[in-house]
Amino acid sequence: MLRLTPIRMASAVMVSLGLSMATGAHAQAKQLTLCWAAWDPANALVELSKDFTAKTGIQMKFEFVPWTSYADRFINELNSHGKLCDLIIGDSQWIGGAAVNGHYVKLNDFFAKNKISMDDFMPATVVGYAEWPKNTPNYWALPAMADAVGWTYRKDWFARPELRAEFKQKYKRDLAPPTTLDELKQTAEFFQGRKIDGKTVYGTYIFTERGSEGITMGVTNALYNFGFEYEDPKKPYRLDGFVNSPDSVKGLEYYKALYKCCTAPGMTNAYMQEGLDAFKSGQVAMQMNWFAFFPGLYKDRNVGGDKIGFFVNPREKRHFTQLGGQGISVVSYSDHKEDALEYIKWFAQPDVQKKWWELGGYSAAKSVVQDPSFPKSAPFAPAFLESMGIVKDFWAEPAYAELLLDMQKRVHDYVVADKGTAKEALDLLVKDWGKVFKQEGK
């Protein structure tokens, strides 16, 4: 992704010119550094933040890094008490560790003083991006970038009369965006290996990446809907019989079956960018990815516009989708906390949130998403709005990184590397997670 860095304003004043100009030069040199991942929404935030600078005179510098190194780069920065970031848009899973370890400024008093209410934001984003402990009124971030896993499909292929007739004869239903996981697999099988416009295409693209979070962020969209639970709802950290329940096993088996039957060759370690490339190149009929990328896809000259459609993650026994997105926090080690809080105050305003959506960011503000005009504001808006009502997130525990790497290994070993059974993979995951929580005293 393109990294955009504004030109720094000069902050030094030559002593020989006299001290009379120092105060004005110092005011001009006010600057905040905001850290995030390098992707399309970050570019939109650069544009949006010009309004903040115009209003306050505070210059904005941006430190954007690729998703593949985003977590390592900024978690290391926080753990080392570095001063690079004044503001950080941190992943939802970081909130527990950042709160417990003192990396973020607690925002409760600031919110109260400035009449910023979490009731003005979508509940799932408050729980997911701002709260620790979860479901308590302790806030460490302002919901900044609402996101979830959604799906794109080749609307133009689905509309072809000959394909519609063949599909209906075979499955006794119309060729349409799938509403169940069973329908998703059928539709993917229908397109797998088919020739369209002289080119061999494949049924679907799903996440398989092992190194960071990819396959976990993909497989959960099947696991949740078959009945997977992270823990006993009545007894926190009791895992056995929930993580590895019969329904969980079915969900993991489904994801592997979908991977084996209906994806393109070579997609053994693929995440966001590989999915975008597969869809843009006309390789797949359907694609799993984050809603954050959908504005760019809709604008794509080759597959956007009338050629692309969007749908919510299909249901099965239950109906969920994986939560993505991030909150914006003030880093406690910053030397510019007051100015950083000023940015939070500005960003929370309804008119700023409205422009954020218009520029390509995903607002979590109710004033934006509950506006009667919102569903018609973009082709993907209705699916996004529905998805944010059914989101479920991964662990946000302080030890989330260990928990995530454990799941990455066990799921990838089974789905991609063909090691063992689904039950064995989930049993091993229960043991892995049990060790982590035991070490955490839980």
Side-chain angles (χ1 to χ4, degrees), residues 249-304:
V249 170
K250 290 177 184 176
L252 185 53
E253 289 173 341
Y254 170 87
Y255 199 77
K256 179 171 183 173
L258 187 63
Y259 168 71
K260 293 294 184 182
C261 80
C262 307
T263 59
M267 293 292 185
T268 59
N269 189 37
Y271 196 18
M272 297 177 277
Q273 189 57 51
E274 289 81 3
L276 297 174
D277 293 343
F279 195 82
K280 288 180 179 180
S281 65
Q283 195 176 17
V284 294
M286 299 178 292
Q287 175 212 192
M288 162 192 285
N289 221 317
W290 300 103
F291 274 93
F293 294 108
F294 293 178
L297 283 174
Y298 183 71
K299 295 175 184 176
D300 188 87
R301 289 183 297 175
N302 297 320
V303 299

Coordinates of all heavy atoms in Angstrom, one line a residue, residues 249-304:
V249 N -16.5 -29.0 15.5 CA -15.8 -30.0 14.6 C -16.4 -29.9 13.2 O -15.7 -29.8 12.2 CB -15.9 -31.4 15.1 CG1 -15.4 -32.4 14.1 CG2 -15.0 -31.5 16.4
K250 N -17.7 -29.8 13.2 CA -18.4 -29.7 11.9 C -18.1 -28.4 11.2 O -17.9 -28.4 9.9 CB -20.0 -29.8 12.1 CG -20.5 -31.1 12.5 CD -22.0 -31.0 12.7 CE -22.6 -32.4 13.3 NZ -24.0 -32.2 13.6
G251 N -17.9 -27.3 11.9 CA -17.6 -26.1 11.3 C -16.2 -26.1 10.7 O -15.9 -25.6 9.6
L252 N -15.2 -26.7 11.4 CA -13.8 -26.8 10.9 C -13.8 -27.7 9.7 O -13.1 -27.4 8.7 CB -12.9 -27.3 12.0 CG -11.4 -27.3 11.7 CD1 -10.9 -26.0 11.2 CD2 -10.6 -27.8 13.0
E253 N -14.5 -28.8 9.8 CA -14.6 -29.7 8.6 C -15.2 -29.0 7.4 O -14.7 -29.2 6.3 CB -15.4 -31.0 9.0 CG -14.7 -31.9 9.9 CD -15.6 -33.0 10.4 OE1 -16.9 -32.9 10.3 OE2 -15.1 -34.0 10.9
Y254 N -16.2 -28.2 7.6 CA -16.8 -27.4 6.5 C -15.7 -26.5 5.8 O -15.6 -26.5 4.6 CB -18.0 -26.6 7.0 CG -18.5 -25.7 5.9 CD1 -19.4 -26.0 5.0 CD2 -18.0 -24.3 5.9 CE1 -19.9 -25.2 4.0 CE2 -18.4 -23.5 4.9 CZ -19.3 -23.9 4.0 OH -19.8 -23.0 3.0
Y255 N -15.0 -25.8 6.7 CA -14.0 -24.8 6.1 C -13.0 -25.6 5.3 O -12.6 -25.1 4.2 CB -13.4 -24.1 7.2 CG -12.7 -22.8 6.7 CD1 -13.5 -21.7 6.5 CD2 -11.3 -22.7 6.6 CE1 -12.9 -20.5 6.0 CE2 -10.7 -21.5 6.2 CZ -11.5 -20.4 5.9 OH -10.9 -19.2 5.5
K256 N -12.5 -26.7 5.8 CA -11.6 -27.5 5.0 C -12.2 -28.0 3.7 O -11.5 -28.0 2.6 CB -11.0 -28.7 5.8 CG -10.0 -29.6 5.0 CD -9.4 -30.6 5.9 CE -8.3 -31.4 5.1 NZ -7.5 -32.3 6.0
A257 N -13.4 -28.5 3.7 CA -14.1 -29.0 2.5 C -14.2 -27.8 1.5 O -14.0 -28.1 0.3 CB -15.5 -29.5 2.9
L258 N -14.5 -26.6 2.0 CA -14.7 -25.5 1.1 C -13.3 -25.2 0.4 O -13.2 -24.9 -0.8 CB -15.2 -24.3 1.8 CG -15.6 -23.1 1.0 CD1 -16.7 -23.3 0.0 CD2 -16.0 -21.9 1.9
Y259 N -12.3 -25.2 1.3 CA -10.9 -24.9 0.8 C -10.5 -26.0 -0.3 O -10.0 -25.6 -1.3 CB -9.9 -25.0 1.9 CG -8.5 -25.0 1.5 CD1 -7.9 -23.9 0.9 CD2 -7.7 -26.1 1.7 CE1 -6.6 -23.9 0.5 CE2 -6.4 -26.2 1.3 CZ -5.8 -25.1 0.7 OH -4.5 -25.1 0.3
K260 N -10.8 -27.2 0.0 CA -10.3 -28.3 -0.9 C -11.1 -28.4 -2.2 O -10.6 -28.6 -3.3 CB -10.5 -29.7 -0.2 CG -9.5 -29.9 1.0 CD -8.1 -29.9 0.5 CE -7.1 -30.2 1.7 NZ -5.7 -30.2 1.3
C261 N -12.4 -28.1 -2.1 CA -13.3 -28.3 -3.3 C -13.2 -27.1 -4.3 O -13.3 -27.2 -5.5 CB -14.7 -28.5 -2.9 SG -15.7 -27.0 -2.5
C262 N -13.0 -25.9 -3.7 CA -13.5 -24.7 -4.5 C -12.7 -23.5 -4.5 O -13.1 -22.4 -4.8 CB -14.9 -24.3 -3.9 SG -16.1 -25.7 -3.9
T263 N -11.4 -23.7 -4.2 CA -10.5 -22.5 -4.3 C -9.4 -22.7 -5.4 O -9.3 -23.8 -5.9 CB -9.8 -22.3 -2.9 OG1 -9.0 -23.5 -2.6 CG2 -10.8 -22.0 -1.8
A264 N -8.8 -21.6 -5.7 CA -7.8 -21.7 -6.8 C -6.5 -22.4 -6.3 O -6.2 -22.4 -5.1 CB -7.4 -20.3 -7.2
P265 N -5.8 -23.0 -7.2 CA -4.5 -23.7 -6.8 C -3.5 -22.7 -6.2 O -3.5 -21.5 -6.6 CB -4.0 -24.3 -8.1 CG -5.1 -24.3 -9.0 CD -6.0 -23.2 -8.6
G266 N -2.8 -23.2 -5.2 CA -1.7 -22.4 -4.7 C -2.0 -21.4 -3.5 O -1.2 -20.8 -3.0
M267 N -3.3 -21.4 -3.2 CA -3.7 -20.4 -2.1 C -3.6 -21.1 -0.7 O -4.5 -21.1 0.0 CB -5.2 -20.0 -2.4 CG -5.4 -19.2 -3.6 SD -4.6 -17.6 -3.5 CE -5.2 -16.8 -5.0
T268 N -2.3 -21.4 -0.4 CA -2.1 -22.1 0.8 C -1.7 -21.2 2.0 O -1.7 -21.6 3.1 CB -0.9 -23.1 0.7 OG1 0.2 -22.4 0.2 CG2 -1.3 -24.2 -0.4
N269 N -1.4 -19.9 1.7 CA -0.9 -19.0 2.7 C -1.4 -17.6 2.3 O -0.6 -16.7 2.1 CB 0.6 -19.1 2.8 CG 1.1 -18.3 4.0 OD1 0.5 -18.3 5.1 ND2 2.2 -17.6 3.9
A270 N -2.7 -17.4 2.1 CA -3.2 -16.2 1.5 C -4.1 -15.5 2.4 O -4.9 -16.1 3.2 CB -3.9 -16.6 0.2
Y271 N -4.1 -14.1 2.3 CA -4.9 -13.3 3.2 C -5.6 -12.2 2.3 O -6.0 -12.4 1.2 CB -4.1 -12.8 4.3 CG -4.9 -12.3 5.5 CD1 -6.3 -12.5 5.7 CD2 -4.3 -11.5 6.5 CE1 -7.0 -12.0 6.7 CE2 -5.1 -11.0 7.5 CZ -6.4 -11.2 7.7 OH -7.1 -10.7 8.7
M272 N -5.6 -11.0 2.8 CA -6.4 -9.9 2.3 C -5.9 -9.6 0.8 O -6.8 -9.6 -0.1 CB -6.2 -8.7 3.1 CG -6.8 -8.9 4.5 SD -6.5 -7.4 5.6 CE -4.9 -7.7 6.2
Q273 N -4.7 -9.3 0.6 CA -4.2 -8.9 -0.7 C -4.4 -9.9 -1.8 O -4.8 -9.7 -2.9 CB -2.8 -8.4 -0.7 CG -2.3 -7.7 -1.9 CD -3.1 -6.5 -2.3 OE1 -3.4 -5.6 -1.4 NE2 -3.6 -6.4 -3.5
E274 N -4.1 -11.2 -1.4 CA -4.3 -12.3 -2.4 C -5.7 -12.4 -2.8 O -6.0 -12.7 -4.0 CB -3.8 -13.6 -1.8 CG -2.3 -13.7 -1.6 CD -1.7 -13.0 -0.4 OE1 -2.6 -12.5 0.4 OE2 -0.5 -13.0 -0.2
G275 N -6.7 -12.2 -1.9 CA -8.1 -12.2 -2.2 C -8.5 -11.1 -3.2 O -9.2 -11.3 -4.2
L276 N -8.0 -9.9 -2.9 CA -8.2 -8.8 -3.8 C -7.7 -9.1 -5.2 O -8.3 -8.8 -6.2 CB -7.6 -7.5 -3.2 CG -8.2 -7.0 -1.9 CD1 -7.4 -5.9 -1.4 CD2 -9.6 -6.7 -2.0
D277 N -6.5 -9.6 -5.2 CA -5.8 -9.9 -6.5 C -6.6 -11.0 -7.3 O -6.8 -10.8 -8.5 CB -4.4 -10.4 -6.3 CG -3.5 -9.3 -5.8 OD1 -3.9 -8.1 -5.9 OD2 -2.4 -9.6 -5.3
A278 N -7.1 -12.0 -6.6 CA -7.8 -13.1 -7.2 C -9.1 -12.5 -7.8 O -9.6 -12.9 -8.9 CB -8.1 -14.2 -6.2
F279 N -9.8 -11.7 -7.1 CA -11.1 -11.1 -7.5 C -10.9 -10.2 -8.7 O -11.6 -10.2 -9.7 CB -11.8 -10.5 -6.4 CG -13.3 -10.2 -6.7 CD1 -14.2 -11.3 -6.5 CD2 -13.7 -9.0 -7.1 CE1 -15.6 -11.0 -6.8 CE2 -15.1 -8.8 -7.4 CZ -16.0 -9.8 -7.3
K280 N -9.9 -9.3 -8.5 CA -9.7 -8.3 -9.6 C -9.2 -8.9 -10.9 O -9.5 -8.4 -12.0 CB -8.6 -7.3 -9.1 CG -9.1 -6.3 -8.0 CD -8.0 -5.3 -7.6 CE -8.4 -4.4 -6.6 NZ -7.3 -3.4 -6.2
S281 N -8.5 -10.0 -10.8 CA -8.1 -10.7 -12.0 C -9.1 -11.6 -12.7 O -8.8 -12.2 -13.7 CB -6.8 -11.5 -11.7 OG -7.1 -12.6 -10.8
G282 N -10.3 -11.6 -12.1 CA -11.4 -12.5 -12.7 C -11.1 -13.9 -12.4 O -11.6 -14.8 -13.2
Q283 N -10.4 -14.3 -11.4 CA -10.1 -15.7 -11.1 C -11.2 -16.4 -10.3 O -11.3 -17.6 -10.4 CB -8.8 -15.7 -10.3 CG -8.1 -17.1 -10.2 CD -6.8 -17.0 -9.5 OE1 -6.5 -16.1 -8.8 NE2 -6.0 -18.0 -9.7
V284 N -12.0 -15.7 -9.5 CA -13.0 -16.3 -8.6 C -14.3 -15.7 -8.7 O -14.5 -14.5 -9.0 CB -12.5 -16.3 -7.1 CG1 -11.2 -17.1 -6.9 CG2 -12.3 -14.8 -6.7
A285 N -15.4 -16.5 -8.5 CA -16.7 -16.0 -8.5 C -17.1 -15.3 -7.2 O -17.9 -14.4 -7.3 CB -17.7 -17.2 -8.7
M286 N -16.5 -15.7 -6.1 CA -16.9 -15.1 -4.8 C -15.6 -14.9 -4.0 O -14.6 -15.7 -4.2 CB -17.8 -16.0 -4.0 CG -19.2 -16.2 -4.7 SD -20.3 -17.4 -3.8 CE -19.4 -18.9 -4.0
Q287 N -15.6 -14.0 -3.1 CA -14.4 -13.7 -2.3 C -14.8 -13.2 -0.9 O -15.6 -12.4 -0.7 CB -13.6 -12.5 -3.0 CG -12.4 -12.1 -2.2 CD -12.1 -10.6 -2.3 OE1 -11.1 -10.1 -1.9 NE2 -13.1 -9.8 -2.9
M288 N -14.2 -13.9 0.1 CA -14.2 -13.4 1.5 C -13.2 -12.3 1.7 O -12.0 -12.5 1.3 CB -13.9 -14.6 2.4 CG -13.5 -14.3 3.8 SD -12.8 -15.8 4.7 CE -14.3 -16.7 5.0
N289 N -13.6 -11.2 2.3 CA -12.6 -10.2 2.6 C -13.3 -9.2 3.6 O -14.5 -9.3 3.9 CB -12.1 -9.5 1.4 CG -10.6 -9.3 1.5 OD1 -10.1 -8.9 2.6 ND2 -9.8 -9.5 0.5
W290 N -12.5 -8.2 4.0 CA -13.0 -7.2 4.9 C -13.8 -6.1 4.2 O -13.4 -5.7 3.1 CB -11.8 -6.6 5.7 CG -11.1 -7.5 6.5 CD1 -9.9 -8.1 6.2 CD2 -11.5 -8.1 7.8 NE1 -9.5 -9.0 7.2 CE2 -10.4 -9.0 8.2 CE3 -12.6 -8.0 8.6 CZ2 -10.5 -9.7 9.4 CZ3 -12.7 -8.7 9.8 CH2 -11.6 -9.6 10.2
F291 N -14.8 -5.6 4.8 CA -15.6 -4.5 4.1 C -14.7 -3.3 3.8 O -15.0 -2.6 2.9 CB -16.8 -4.1 5.1 CG -18.0 -5.0 4.9 CD1 -18.2 -6.1 5.7 CD2 -18.9 -4.6 3.9 CE1 -19.3 -6.9 5.5 CE2 -20.1 -5.4 3.8 CZ -20.3 -6.5 4.6
A292 N -13.7 -3.1 4.6 CA -12.8 -2.0 4.3 C -12.3 -1.9 2.9 O -12.0 -0.8 2.4 CB -11.6 -2.0 5.3
F293 N -12.2 -3.0 2.2 CA -11.7 -3.0 0.9 C -12.8 -2.8 -0.2 O -12.5 -2.6 -1.4 CB -11.0 -4.3 0.6 CG -9.7 -4.5 1.4 CD1 -9.7 -5.4 2.4 CD2 -8.6 -3.8 1.1 CE1 -8.5 -5.6 3.2 CE2 -7.4 -4.0 1.9 CZ -7.4 -4.9 2.9
F294 N -14.0 -2.9 0.2 CA -15.1 -2.9 -0.8 C -15.3 -1.6 -1.6 O -15.6 -1.6 -2.7 CB -16.4 -3.3 -0.1 CG -16.4 -4.8 0.3 CD1 -17.5 -5.3 1.0 CD2 -15.3 -5.6 0.1 CE1 -17.5 -6.7 1.4 CE2 -15.2 -6.9 0.5 CZ -16.4 -7.5 1.2
P295 N -15.0 -0.4 -0.9 CA -15.1 0.8 -1.7 C -14.2 0.8 -2.9 O -14.5 1.2 -4.0 CB -14.8 1.9 -0.7 CG -15.2 1.4 0.6 CD -14.8 -0.1 0.5
G296 N -12.9 0.4 -2.7 CA -11.9 0.3 -3.7 C -12.3 -0.7 -4.8 O -12.1 -0.5 -6.0
L297 N -12.9 -1.9 -4.4 CA -13.3 -2.9 -5.4 C -14.4 -2.4 -6.2 O -14.5 -2.6 -7.4 CB -13.7 -4.2 -4.7 CG -12.6 -5.1 -4.2 CD1 -13.2 -6.2 -3.4 CD2 -11.7 -5.6 -5.3
Y298 N -15.4 -1.6 -5.6 CA -16.5 -1.1 -6.4 C -16.0 -0.1 -7.4 O -16.6 0.0 -8.5 CB -17.5 -0.4 -5.4 CG -18.7 0.1 -6.1 CD1 -19.7 -0.8 -6.7 CD2 -18.9 1.4 -6.3 CE1 -20.8 -0.4 -7.3 CE2 -20.0 1.9 -7.0 CZ -21.0 1.0 -7.5 OH -22.1 1.5 -8.2
K299 N -14.9 0.6 -7.2 CA -14.4 1.6 -8.1 C -13.5 0.9 -9.2 O -13.1 1.6 -10.1 CB -13.6 2.6 -7.4 CG -14.5 3.5 -6.5 CD -13.6 4.5 -5.7 CE -14.5 5.3 -4.7 NZ -13.6 6.2 -3.8
D300 N -13.2 -0.4 -9.0 CA -12.3 -1.0 -9.9 C -12.8 -1.0 -11.4 O -14.0 -1.4 -11.6 CB -12.0 -2.4 -9.5 CG -10.9 -3.1 -10.3 OD1 -9.7 -2.9 -9.9 OD2 -11.2 -3.8 -11.3
R301 N -12.0 -0.7 -12.3 CA -12.5 -0.5 -13.7 C -12.9 -1.9 -14.3 O -13.7 -2.0 -15.2 CB -11.4 0.1 -14.6 CG -11.3 1.6 -14.3 CD -10.3 2.2 -15.2 NE -8.9 1.7 -15.1 CZ -7.9 2.0 -15.8 NH1 -8.0 2.8 -16.8 NH2 -6.7 1.4 -15.6
N302 N -12.2 -3.0 -13.9 CA -12.4 -4.3 -14.5 C -13.5 -5.1 -13.8 O -14.3 -5.8 -14.5 CB -11.1 -5.1 -14.5 CG -10.0 -4.4 -15.3 OD1 -10.3 -3.9 -16.3 ND2 -8.8 -4.5 -14.7
V303 N -13.7 -5.0 -12.5 CA -14.6 -5.9 -11.8 C -15.6 -5.1 -11.0 O -16.5 -5.7 -10.3 CB -13.9 -7.0 -11.0 CG1 -13.1 -7.9 -11.8 CG2 -13.1 -6.3 -9.8
G304 N -15.5 -3.8 -10.9 CA -16.4 -3.0 -10.1 C -17.7 -2.6 -10.8 O -18.1 -3.2 -11.8

